[in-house]
Amino acid sequence: MLETQLGALLADPAPGVPEALDLAGSVDHALADGLARVSPSVFTGLADAFAGSPLRDRVAEAADKIAAGSISDEHLLALAGARSALFGAVHDALLAQADAALGRTRPTWPARAGDDVAAAGNLLAGSRSWLRELAITGWRGVDHDLVTTAGQIIAATLAEPRLRRLATLLDGLAAELRACSPIATMDRLPLRRWGDLWSRAMLLAQDGGRATASEPVSGRLLLLGADVHEHATAVQIQVHGILETPGAAPRLVRTSVAAPKVDTIVGPAVWRLFAAHPVLLGALAERLTLDVTDLPLLDSGDLVWSDAQAKAGPPADPFATARVLLPGAVAPAVPPLERHPARIGEPVLVEGYAADGGTFTLGDQAIAVDTTRLPSCGPLTPQLVAASQACIGLLRWDGGWSLQPVAVLTMVKRQPVATHTTDWALGPTDPKVVKAAAAAGDAVAVLRERAGRLLRR
């Protein structure tokens, strides 16, 4: 990323971004207090903001009805749609700013009809009913009894493959609310997060709109780096790369693999959970290219990974890939429900900077570096980031632009040495870490042995 690009990116945010976030915040505060107790003036600005949009009449009606205490699923859908549209507009403005600064091209999302889910209409209605109760009661009024009422509908929805996305979201939201109950005693509520989850669930609980298209692709996948999303009960590896296919421009793509876990599996042991993906792990650890055959590619730029349809190729330096191919790679379109500032994670290459504390400075411009996202399962540390001279990272926005490193170049004995988050995908290479892991024991093997013993009883 050149200094001029960084300067253009760190300029004032796109017009209207603070105002849109304030309006979305008013919805979040209303959901916290409960729509049954909302002030009539809360949604006045929201209705005015959509005066020139196709949502004008529906948002205005919903604002009036909710303020009057007449709350239906249709009105809640309009409220969730308006909130999501605000964040979508912010996302689009910020991403357009980033694309312009990086010289990155991106197609628009193709329009298509949704899937027929009429057979699951009762499950959708049940999901909407619980979401309606949450909105009317408000987060501060949620208790164990209200959370428990969702158990049956969540279990039934999880059993319907077509609604798995909605079911997983509802299950996660219920788990968070259960863990925090009684919420009235909390000092601070995650208003935006719970507002995001509620709005997304409300939109997913509508008939249709779940269409997903994919095309089989064959070609060469060159890896840039990977982001590790780790929680107490699950872990996901999201790999970013550039796909070269015959007769087409290079494309930015992602692919992800996930696994369940327990909170005792941490550090390098996390990689043991992905033993079913040796081809992908080997390519990440040894920085190899991958030849893929008929791998499904979604419109969102996500490859549906299958080791059986991939073969490891020769080595390829991710930094060389980023220098040569990243500037001309076509970015994927963004699905409608993914249009949110928190979703932005654009791969970029930054070189020639001065690392100072938590920032990279190029000329008179500086960008914050987020080292809190560095995973414990890899060798990349804040100290290495601070000593680096080049960085492959993910450009993110959370009230301002920041860079999440996934790989850095440092000088060791006057030689450049690359360190990636995935260097330990086949096991740690640092002797101290190997010794510590041996002393601690193999948590994954122990848990598998215990699980097998229980199943044999």
Side-chain angles (χ1 to χ4, degrees):
M1 186 192 299
L2 300 177
E3 180 180 343
T4 54
Q5 294 174 315
L6 184 62
L9 188 63
L10 298 179
D12 293 336
V17 166
E19 293 81 0
L21 293 177
D22 286 343
L23 284 173
S26 68
V27 178
D28 292 340
H29 283 286
L31 289 173
D33 296 332
L35 298 185
R37 291 173 291 277
V38 71
S39 169
S41 61
V42 168
F43 297 130
T44 301
L46 184 67
D48 293 342
F50 286 89
S53 81
L55 291 176
R56 177 190 60 191
D57 295 339
R58 298 191 68 177
V59 173
E61 179 186 358
D64 292 340
K65 294 294 185 181
I66 291 174
S70 176
I71 306 172
S72 68
D73 287 353
E74 182 181 357
H75 303 141
L76 294 180
L77 172 60
L79 183 64
R83 184 188 182 281
S84 298
L86 288 170
F87 279 110
V90 172
H91 167 276
D92 292 350
L94 294 171
L95 194 59
Q97 186 184 35
D99 286 344
L102 300 172
R104 191 162 291 174
T105 58
R106 185 185 309 271
T108 57
W109 183 259
R112 71 174 74 87
D115 293 339
D116 180 14
V117 291
N122 60 324
L123 298 179
L124 296 176
S127 300
R128 292 195 299 268
S129 177
W130 184 63
L131 294 168
R132 182 173 62 251
E133 289 301 316
L134 287 179
I136 293 173
T137 303
W139 305 126
R140 290 189 173 90
V142 171
D143 55 20
H144 285 286
D145 291 339
L146 180 53
V147 176
T148 302
T149 59
Q152 186 174 358
I153 189 64
I154 290 175
T157 307
L158 282 168
E160 172 54 67
R162 293 172 296 176
L163 300 182
R164 189 63 52 82
R165 190 179 184 190
L166 170 63
T168 303
L169 196 159
L170 293 175
D171 193 31
L173 176 58
E176 287 193 25
L177 296 177
R178 184 181 299 107
C180 296
S181 294
I183 294 174
T185 62
M186 293 179 64
D187 294 332
R188 184 178 179 183
L189 305 185
L191 296 184
R192 180 172 293 183
R193 173 173 174 77
W194 287 351
D196 286 341
L197 295 176
W198 180 86
S199 299
R200 175 72 66 88
M202 200 69 199
L203 295 174
L204 288 176
Q206 308 303 313
D207 295 331
R210 279 160 287 277
T212 301
S214 65
E215 60 169 320
V217 293
S218 300
R220 185 172 69 152
L221 179 61
L222 297 103
L223 305 181
L224 293 170
D227 184 17
V228 181
H229 305 152
E230 186 176 352
H231 301 277
T233 59
V235 60
Q236 180 192 57
I237 310 298
Q238 186 177 67
V239 182
H240 296 262
I242 296 177
L243 179 65
E244 293 182 319
T245 53
R251 287 183 279 188
L252 271 172
V253 295
R254 296 179 300 266
T255 191
S256 303
V257 290
K261 64 183 286 291
V262 295
D263 54 8
T264 57
I265 300 177
V266 295
V270 164
W271 295 107
R272 294 286 308 278
L273 301 174
F274 298 98
H277 308 285
V279 176
L280 181 60
L281 295 192
L284 289 170
E286 299 174 4
R287 300 166 200 170
L288 307 177
T289 59
L290 288 164
D291 296 317
V292 300
T293 304
D294 293 334
L295 208 58
L297 176 64
L298 306 180
D299 287 340
S300 60
D302 291 285
L303 286 167
V304 182
W305 186 256
S306 170
D307 256 36
Q309 293 168 260
K311 182 175 66 174
D317 178 11
F319 283 90
T321 298
R323 292 188 191 100
V324 175
L325 294 179
L326 193 53
V330 178
V334 181
L337 289 183
E338 300 296 328
R339 293 168 56 244
H340 192 290
R343 185 259 185 206
I344 296 175
E346 292 295 304
V348 294
L349 171 66
V350 186
E351 297 180 289
Y353 51 81
D356 181 17
T359 61
F360 287 167
T361 302
L362 279 165
D364 60 352
Q365 299 291 342
I367 187 168
V369 180
D370 186 2
T371 56
T372 62
R373 292 175 178 260
L374 295 179
S376 62
C377 60
L380 190 55
T381 63
Q383 292 74 24
L384 285 172
V385 173
S388 65
Q389 296 182 339
C391 174
I392 297 174
L394 300 177
L395 189 65
R396 297 196 179 277
W397 194 90
D398 185 9
W401 291 106
S402 64
L403 187 70
Q404 175 194 343
V406 296
V408 298
L409 273 180
T410 55
M411 297 300 294
V412 178
K413 296 180 180 179
R414 298 184 180 181
Q415 295 295 322
V417 175
T419 305
H420 295 248
T421 57
T422 57
D423 283 347
W424 294 348
L426 295 180
T429 56
D430 186 328
K432 294 181 180 179
V433 177
V434 173
K435 184 177 180 180
D442 191 339
V444 176
V446 171
L447 290 171
R448 284 176 175 166
E449 192 277 333
R450 289 178 179 175
R453 189 186 310 165
L454 289 172
L455 290 173
R456 288 192 297 269
R457 288 182 178 177

